[in-house]
Amino acid sequence: MKSLYENLPVDFLARFYYEIRKNIKKRVLSEAMYFELDLIEKAAKNKGITIEELHKYLFVH
């Protein structure tokens, strides 16, 4: 079964990933959100994009 993230464009994936990580570090979101990060990482991988590329995509585009 595909996650919601599978259907999002790469720029949205990058933004979601960045915001979730930022809010976990600020303790605005719980550590349970790491599950969401995993789903985003899997969706990126299915699109042929690594997490490092996702970070670059966010700051280049």
Side-chain angles (χ1 to χ4, degrees):
M1 185 171 160
K2 286 187 174 186
S3 71
L4 163 75
Y5 301 113
E6 299 277 341
N7 298 317
L8 294 177
V10 176
D11 60 327
F12 276 60
L13 280 180
R15 288 185 181 119
F16 271 112
Y17 189 83
Y18 175 77
E19 288 299 322
I20 291 171
R21 285 192 55 93
K22 180 177 76 172
N23 286 315
I24 290 171
K25 287 181 182 181
K26 288 180 170 180
R27 299 184 188 260
V28 174
L29 296 176
S30 72
E31 290 191 18
M33 292 302 290
Y34 282 110
F35 177 75
E36 295 298 316
L37 293 179
D38 186 53
L39 290 175
I40 294 170
E41 290 174 13
K42 287 177 182 174
K45 184 178 179 181
N46 287 340
K47 293 176 184 281
I49 299 168
T50 66
I51 292 305
E52 292 78 21
E53 292 169 324
L54 203 60
H55 285 282
K56 290 178 187 175
Y57 193 92
L58 179 65
F59 295 108
V60 171
H61 291 90

